[in-house]
Amino acid sequence: MPAPPPNRSTYEHRTSRWVNIGIPYLWLGLFFLLPFAIVLQISLAEPALAQPPYTALWQWVDEGLLRIEINLRNFMMVAEDDLYLSALLNSLQVAFICTLLCLLLGYPMAYAIATAPERWRIILLMLIVLPFWTSFLIRVYAWIGILKPNGLLNDALIWLGLIDTPLAILHTQTAIYIGVVYSYLPFMILPLYANLTRLDPSLLEAAADLGCRPMRAFLRVTLPLSMAGIVAGSMLVFIPVVGEFVIPDLLGGPQSLMVGKLLWTEFFSNKDWPLASALAILLLALLVVPFVMMQRLQQRMEGSRG
């Protein structure tokens, strides 16, 4: 006996499900896999004095044969040259320290906003987000005026009598930390705030009824339950900071060594697109490891609570 044809509601349900599944995969394919494939192809080519400035990965030769030339020297050069290794390690160090600083600053701020009276939360969130309505470049240039030898910070320290001569802050690693933490702090605060506002307050009330002090209740209840927000905020800060270019270039000066600056130099100054693409591929591969580890940690925590 043949199966009855699906009715209209079943057909619409299936269509809606395929659309919901297909749009994220379409987005992933167009804006991640396709650019990744192009960059990977360039990384396997050789530099050339042509437009575009690299050789073709494959080409048709006589008798209809397809010749494929894969060049791995770019990856070997990145792995063997101390310059790229130093830039990579320095980028990871800057990203790790800035993520830690954002967490130490952002967690108390997110906790204060989440526990504030509801009528104040929107105002406090606006105070966090409002500066970011201005241009990113303008905000970074403003930090140059604050950190330079005759800038606002040194003038204030001299006026307070804390120092006698201006401090050399601009074009140092400290200036990079200040600029990165300022620029990426909201990316830590907002996921933490979203996580903390979903916590059940009855858990803290139950801990207090059982004689648990506030600090112990925070360490045993609030902090473990907010780990998902910590992981999300850390990912949003760490991953883009590793490849940051503008802040190290403007605040760190010409001596700063980070992967983002090397990528820009290889692409636009040296015109060595294959080497820059190989560096970008290795950087992406390096970032996938902590991303997968954080995802698994987050799934494990959600599973243990579930």
Side-chain angles (χ1 to χ4, degrees):
M1 181 178 181
N7 55 33
R8 184 179 179 83
S9 61
T10 304
Y11 176 76
E12 291 178 350
H13 175 72
R14 289 178 179 175
T15 304
S16 175
R17 185 178 61 179
W18 281 110
V19 169
N20 292 334
I21 295 174
I23 289 177
Y25 279 101
L26 181 63
W27 180 276
L28 183 68
L30 285 178
F31 296 106
F32 176 73
L33 293 179
L34 182 59
F36 176 79
I38 295 173
V39 174
L40 180 62
Q41 174 199 344
I42 298 174
S43 70
L44 298 174
E46 294 184 8
L49 295 175
Q51 193 62 248
Y54 56 87
T55 59
L57 187 61
W58 62 77
Q59 58 183 343
W60 295 100
V61 294
D62 297 338
E63 301 177 355
L65 297 176
L66 179 64
R67 187 175 67 186
I68 301 176
E69 294 182 359
I70 297 178
N71 175 32
L72 298 177
R73 284 197 295 270
N74 299 310
F75 291 95
M76 295 175 63
M77 186 180 299
V78 172
E80 294 174 352
D81 196 323
D82 293 338
L83 175 67
Y84 301 109
L85 182 61
S86 300
L88 193 59
L89 293 177
N90 189 53
S91 298
L92 292 175
Q93 176 189 338
V94 170
F96 176 76
I97 294 176
C98 290
T99 303
L100 187 61
L101 292 175
C102 284
L103 178 61
L104 294 176
L105 291 173
Y107 198 101
M109 296 172 71
Y111 186 81
I113 298 173
T115 55
E118 196 164 347
R119 66 179 183 278
W120 285 101
R121 291 182 186 175
I122 298 299
I123 298 174
L124 294 174
L125 284 175
M126 288 298 295
L127 292 176
I128 298 294
V129 177
L130 202 59
F132 293 84
W133 289 8
T134 59
S135 168
F136 176 73
L137 276 178
I138 291 176
R139 283 184 278 118
V140 176
Y141 273 112
W143 275 107
I144 295 177
I146 295 173
L147 300 177
K148 64 184 181 181
N150 57 345
L152 294 177
L153 181 59
N154 276 312
D155 288 347
L157 294 176
I158 293 175
W159 182 76
L160 292 172
L162 298 176
I163 58 173
D164 296 325
T165 56
L167 298 175
I169 304 175
L170 189 62
H171 296 168
T172 63
Q173 197 87 337
T174 303
I176 297 177
Y177 291 142
I178 293 173
V180 170
V181 170
Y182 165 76
S183 300
Y184 287 88
L185 188 59
F187 295 102
M188 179 67 76
I189 294 177
L190 295 178
L192 281 170
Y193 167 77
N195 181 270
L196 290 170
T197 52
R198 292 201 302 267
L199 294 184
D200 188 355
S202 63
L203 297 175
L204 294 176
E205 294 174 1
D209 292 341
L210 295 173
C212 190
R213 294 183 177 181
M215 179 55 71
R216 188 175 179 83
F218 171 79
L219 296 175
R220 299 295 297 271
V221 178
T222 304
L223 187 59
L225 292 177
S226 61
M227 284 303 293
I230 293 175
V231 171
S234 299
M235 289 168 56
L236 289 176
V237 174
F238 183 85
I239 292 175
V241 171
V242 173
E244 177 63 45
F245 165 71
V246 175
I247 296 174
D249 188 56
L250 295 180
L251 299 184
Q255 301 301 323
S256 63
L257 185 61
M258 292 187 67
V259 173
K261 289 188 66 175
L262 279 183
L263 283 173
W264 191 93
T265 302
E266 295 296 344
F267 264 115
F268 299 105
S269 297
N270 299 338
K271 301 294 183 183
D272 195 343
W273 289 23
L275 182 61
S277 300
L279 183 59
I281 292 292
L282 291 177
L283 178 63
L284 178 63
L286 189 67
L287 290 177
V288 166
V289 176
F291 180 79
V292 172
M293 291 175 63
M294 288 182 179
Q295 283 286 341
R296 289 189 175 181
L297 177 63
Q298 191 172 13
Q299 291 175 357
R300 190 179 304 170
M301 289 186 299
E302 291 177 353
S304 63
R305 289 202 301 267

